[in-house]
Amino acid sequence: MVDFQSRDTRRRAGEAADEADEAADSEEADGEATAEQDQTAASTDDGSEPAKSARDTGPGTDSEPGGDQPQAEASTQVDSPETGPASTPPETEGSVTPPGSAPAGGSPTSATREPSAASETPSRSVDVALVTVGDATTPEGDPNPTADRLTDSLVAAGHTVTVTRELAGGYDEVQSAVDGLVSRPDVETIVTVGGTGVAQSDVVIEAVHPLFEKVLPGFGEVVRNLLFYQAGTGVVGVRTTAGITGSSPIFCLPGERRLANRAVEAVVAAEAPALVAELE
């Protein structure tokens, strides 16, 4: 005889077990969904993209190389007719190079440099009396290299040497000769060369100074500063002076030919015309 009660009991027990399994599967699925939601919320809070689960990946998605997402374009500048070359910044309108400034990688051009006083053409020609004294002289009849050199420099600067004279160098002789040249109509400026050292016989400055109505102390300062680059500290023994007698500037220079010529080229030839013009 079949025990129907026992069979029914077993069937109900099996159905109850199936329901329990389904409930467990449902709870597991709910747990996974809850975990994914928590991960998404956390990713949103810190600004990053939520991680995709294995079920979300596959062909055509962002995680596969062959997906539909476009790649970022390279941020490169391209020349265009409207903007011009991308690498060249536009020039500022109205920008100019300051006068006298050096171009890029170079030096100022000669046009921006101020000309020196010695290179300027004198405003007028001056008639000069050139007097050599003592060691700057030569035996009578022989060429005088010092006088010739200074004459060439004065003529090259546009002036005229109207008188040349050689003196032995005594006090009275020098003073009388210079005083006589001042009154000559063909002499506007007098230049003496030599007799300005520290020896007992060097008395040109002492002889000429009493004739000055006005002294030009700046001349000696400029000449010594100029000659320092040639004579070095030897300029401490270089005595030179200048002044005005009547309407004539008088310049007394050292006897060394090279130093005297430098002073004539750089100072006397440049400043004599302005002094004579003012005195007139």
Side-chain angles (χ1 to χ4, degrees):
M1 181 177 181
V2 179
D3 189 357
F4 292 102
Q5 185 177 2
S6 298
R7 185 168 50 188
D8 294 337
T9 300
R10 287 194 298 270
R11 185 172 59 250
R12 285 194 298 272
E15 291 175 356
D18 293 338
E19 291 176 358
D21 292 338
E22 291 177 359
D25 292 338
S26 177
E27 290 177 358
E28 183 179 356
D30 293 338
E32 291 178 358
T34 301
E36 291 179 0
Q37 292 176 357
D38 294 340
Q39 185 177 3
T40 301
S43 300
T44 303
D45 292 339
D46 62 9
S48 61
E49 294 183 358
K52 299 185 188 311
S53 64
R55 290 194 300 268
D56 297 331
T57 60
T61 63
D62 294 341
S63 62
E64 293 294 333
D68 296 333
Q69 172 116 10
Q71 296 182 352
E73 296 180 356
S75 58
T76 59
Q77 294 180 335
V78 181
D79 297 349
S80 66
E82 291 79 7
T83 61
S87 60
T88 304
E91 295 183 357
T92 303
E93 184 177 357
S95 61
V96 295
T97 302
S101 62
S107 59
T109 61
S110 58
T112 62
R113 299 192 185 100
E114 292 292 335
S116 62
S119 64
E120 294 179 353
T121 302
S123 57
R124 54 163 290 178
S125 175
V126 175
D127 294 333
V128 181
L130 183 59
V131 181
T132 55
V133 182
D135 293 342
T137 63
T138 58
E140 186 176 355
D142 292 344
N144 188 328
T146 300
D148 292 343
R149 177 80 175 270
L150 301 185
T151 298
D152 291 342
S153 296
L154 289 167
V155 171
H159 305 303
T160 304
V161 177
T162 56
V163 178
T164 58
R165 185 170 296 182
E166 296 186 5
L167 304 177
Y171 182 98
D172 292 336
E173 182 186 21
V174 171
Q175 189 176 82
S176 177
V178 171
D179 191 27
L181 291 171
V182 169
S183 60
R184 289 184 56 158
D186 59 344
V187 174
E188 295 175 299
T189 299
I190 302 169
V191 177
T192 71
V193 184
T196 63
V198 296
Q200 291 292 331
S201 59
D202 294 325
V203 295
V204 169
I205 291 178
E206 288 74 16
V208 174
H209 245 289
L211 301 176
F212 288 161
E213 298 170 6
K214 291 183 174 66
V215 180
L216 303 176
F219 176 74
E221 297 170 3
V222 171
V223 169
R224 276 184 288 273
N225 183 67
L226 180 70
L227 300 185
F228 175 78
Y229 298 98
Q230 294 184 357
T233 55
V235 295
V236 298
V238 175
R239 299 195 305 151
T240 182
T241 189
I244 305 296
T245 300
S247 59
S248 300
I250 302 174
F251 303 92
C252 301
L253 305 178
E256 206 282 320
R257 185 188 314 155
R258 183 171 54 97
L259 301 182
N261 189 66
R262 180 67 178 137
V264 166
E265 290 179 338
V267 185
V268 176
E271 299 302 326
L275 292 172
V276 170
E278 187 173 355
L279 291 169
E280 288 177 344

